[in-house]
Amino acid sequence: AVWVGRLIGYQALAAISASFPILFFLISILIGLSVATNTLVGQSYGAKNKGALASVLQNSFFAIVLLSFIISIIGVIFCRPLLTLVNTPESIKADAHKYLTIIIGGILFRAVYNWFGGTLRGIGDSRTPLIILVISVILNIIFTPLLIIGVGPLPRLGIVGSALGTILAFFFSTLIGYLFLIKKNSLFDCLKKKFHLSFELIKKLFYVGIPITFNMIVRSFSWIVIIALVNKFGPTLTAAYGIGVRIDMFAFLPALSISIAVSSMTAQNIGAGRFERVPKVLKSAILLSLFFSLTIYALVNIFPRSIASIFTQDETVLTNTIGYLRIISFNYILFSFIFSFQGVLRGAGDTRYLLLFTIISMLVFRIPLAYFLAGSTNLRESGIWIAILLSTLVATFLNFFYYRAGLWRKEVLIKN
């Protein structure tokens, strides 16, 4: 996003921003399967059931690869109609279509990386996924500007270069990651063995994964509706929203990462029958998440212009981004709680109510409230940001009360 905003301009950044909710929508089913893999690997590992662990790895990898091809084909075919559906301004639609087509076409490499990460975190190894991710980020930082501006024999590709840089980074990091894993981690030896299709295992994968998938679909649908509403205010607000979302993603990362750890630790403890450890894990996660979120909240509110100016120097875009951050940044604190509660529920395999809570917070509260505040009051775009904040508050209470009810304790998918 920084390279695109600096080297091409805010309209190209707006094109990427308009593409993001559609991309997120298309990969939702892969996210669900990755979460399910993490849960089942963790419970198998905690139960010390090596046969179940091997079956989870084989069948989940097969499912991830097959679905990646299907989603790529569907996404490329319907890319342009989807951009029209979200009211993408004509001035950025061509660039958005180019970028999105390439990114969706290479979705397999992103999916395989997520599968690697989910399996390794399930057994408590968060370092190897970090190494693979660092490689991907470094390659992305190198490839993207070179392909955007063109260096030596490389032609100037503009926004196409940005998409190709991302795909190449995922491709090489996935290849390096696989070669590293088969040499360093005996866990993946099972992939070399004869494949046994297990419908019982696949059923469990989808039992956990489908609610997560629909959860992400509901979230992405909400984002699509919100970006369609934002697009009505013009490309400068679209660009500002895109910058704000990227800052949000950075701000959410500590809480999200801790949530993934909570899922793995919850799954392992449930597999081992040690339910009494889970509340201790949750308490530590919330405190650690709050430390990071409060720090980032303070930085974003003290230095909003400096942070936003990393992406663009356009004054109108900067002003709109600052207005977004002043309101939305409170979400950073709320998500410290939400992600921690959700980490426990995902680790237990109890994902159905997470879907219900997302439907209530986003479809019942966020979308209607955003349209009302933005269209029927003088708040305009600020009404959209307020609606997002209030819906997050609703989600926080729903997740808290369900965790306290303790129904998640009944879910044990893999036993020793």
Side-chain angles (χ1 to χ4, degrees):
V2 172
W3 287 130
V4 169
R6 291 279 187 166
L7 299 178
I8 306 177
Y10 79 85
Q11 286 201 320
L13 182 59
I16 293 178
S17 303
S19 304
F20 182 76
I22 298 173
L23 176 63
F24 189 81
F25 176 82
L26 292 172
I27 66 173
S28 292
I29 191 167
L30 300 176
I31 295 174
L33 282 177
S34 296
V35 172
T37 300
N38 176 274
T39 298
L40 293 178
V41 166
Q43 292 196 15
S44 301
Y45 189 75
K48 304 187 187 310
N49 190 332
K50 293 183 179 180
L53 182 58
S55 184
V56 169
L57 290 172
Q58 289 181 332
N59 285 273
S60 62
F61 186 78
F62 169 77
I64 287 286
V65 171
L66 178 62
L67 286 170
S68 295
F69 280 115
I70 295 173
I71 289 171
S72 290
I73 294 170
I74 294 174
V76 170
I77 292 173
F78 293 100
C79 180
R80 190 178 294 276
L82 287 171
L83 287 168
T84 301
L85 185 65
V86 299
N87 296 325
T88 304
E90 288 298 327
S91 59
I92 62 174
K93 185 179 288 186
D95 278 347
H97 181 257
K98 293 176 186 176
Y99 178 84
L100 193 56
T101 300
I102 296 171
I103 291 292
I104 293 173
I107 211 169
L108 171 65
F109 309 119
R110 183 193 298 261
V112 173
Y113 163 76
N114 287 335
W115 179 83
F116 281 140
T119 55
L120 288 169
R121 285 188 291 266
I123 63 170
D125 180 5
S126 60
R127 294 184 181 181
T128 304
L130 174 61
I131 293 171
I132 299 173
L133 180 60
V134 168
I135 293 171
S136 176
V137 170
I138 292 173
L139 291 175
N140 204 350
I141 291 172
I142 295 172
F143 289 151
T144 299
L146 294 179
L147 292 171
I148 287 176
I149 62 176
V151 175
L154 297 176
R156 182 182 181 88
L157 297 176
I159 198 167
V160 170
S162 171
L164 287 175
T166 300
I167 294 301
L168 287 173
F170 271 114
F171 170 74
F172 284 111
S173 60
T174 299
L175 179 61
I176 293 169
Y178 176 72
L179 295 175
F180 176 82
L181 289 173
I182 61 176
K183 288 185 177 181
K184 299 293 184 181
N185 200 315
S186 61
L187 172 68
F188 290 86
D189 286 346
C190 68
L191 294 180
K192 301 177 183 178
K193 299 177 182 178
K194 185 178 179 180
F195 174 67
H196 295 283
L197 185 65
S198 171
F199 288 104
E200 181 64 26
L201 193 281
I202 290 177
K203 179 181 177 182
K204 290 180 179 180
L205 280 169
F206 280 94
Y207 174 79
V208 177
I210 285 179
I212 292 292
T213 293
F214 280 101
N215 188 313
M216 305 309 287
I217 287 174
V218 170
R219 288 181 178 276
S220 60
F221 174 76
S222 171
W223 286 0
I224 287 172
V225 174
I226 292 298
I227 193 68
L229 181 57
V230 170
N231 285 340
K232 291 183 178 181
F233 290 91
T236 54
L237 188 64
T238 302
Y241 178 66
I243 293 171
V245 168
R246 278 162 176 77
I247 295 171
D248 293 345
M249 291 169 65
F250 177 83
F252 293 156
L253 281 177
L256 179 60
S257 301
I258 293 167
S259 172
I260 293 170
V262 171
S263 293
S264 299
M265 296 172 75
T266 298
Q268 290 182 20
N269 280 306
I270 288 176
R274 300 298 300 271
F275 284 88
E276 74 279 1
R277 292 178 175 175
V278 176
K280 297 178 183 178
V281 171
L282 176 65
K283 181 179 178 181
S284 297
I286 291 175
L287 292 175
L288 188 58
S289 296
L290 280 174
F291 169 78
F292 286 110
S293 63
L294 288 170
T295 301
I296 298 173
Y297 173 83
L299 290 173
V300 165
N301 280 277
I302 295 172
F303 307 108
R305 178 174 291 273
S306 298
I307 294 172
S309 64
I310 295 173
F311 297 87
T312 184
Q313 295 299 311
D314 186 271
E315 189 60 34
T316 304
V317 176
L318 285 174
T319 301
N320 285 328
T321 305
I322 293 170
Y324 172 91
L325 292 173
R326 293 293 190 196
I327 297 172
I328 293 295
S329 58
F330 190 72
N331 267 356
Y332 306 162
I333 300 170
L334 296 178
F335 271 100
S336 296
F337 294 94
I338 292 178
F339 285 155
S340 296
F341 291 132
Q342 290 181 346
V344 171
L345 301 183
R346 286 195 301 267
D350 188 359
T351 55
R352 291 162 296 174
Y353 281 92
L354 293 179
L355 172 60
L356 176 62
F357 300 156
T358 301
I359 290 173
I360 293 172
S361 62
M362 295 201 168
L363 301 189
V364 177
F365 280 88
R366 176 173 296 184
I367 292 175
L369 189 59
Y371 270 84
F372 171 75
L373 294 178
S376 301
T377 71
N378 294 326
L379 293 172
R380 290 175 54 80
E381 68 272 10
S382 295
I384 306 174
W385 320 146
I386 292 170
I388 294 173
L389 176 60
L390 292 177
S391 65
T392 305
L393 188 61
V394 170
T396 304
F397 282 110
L398 290 173
N399 281 275
F400 168 73
F401 286 121
Y402 185 74
Y403 167 79
R404 290 296 299 269
L407 298 178
W408 54 272
R409 294 174 179 270
K410 299 179 181 180
E411 299 285 348
V412 181
L413 301 172
I414 304 292
K415 299 179 181 180
N416 49 11

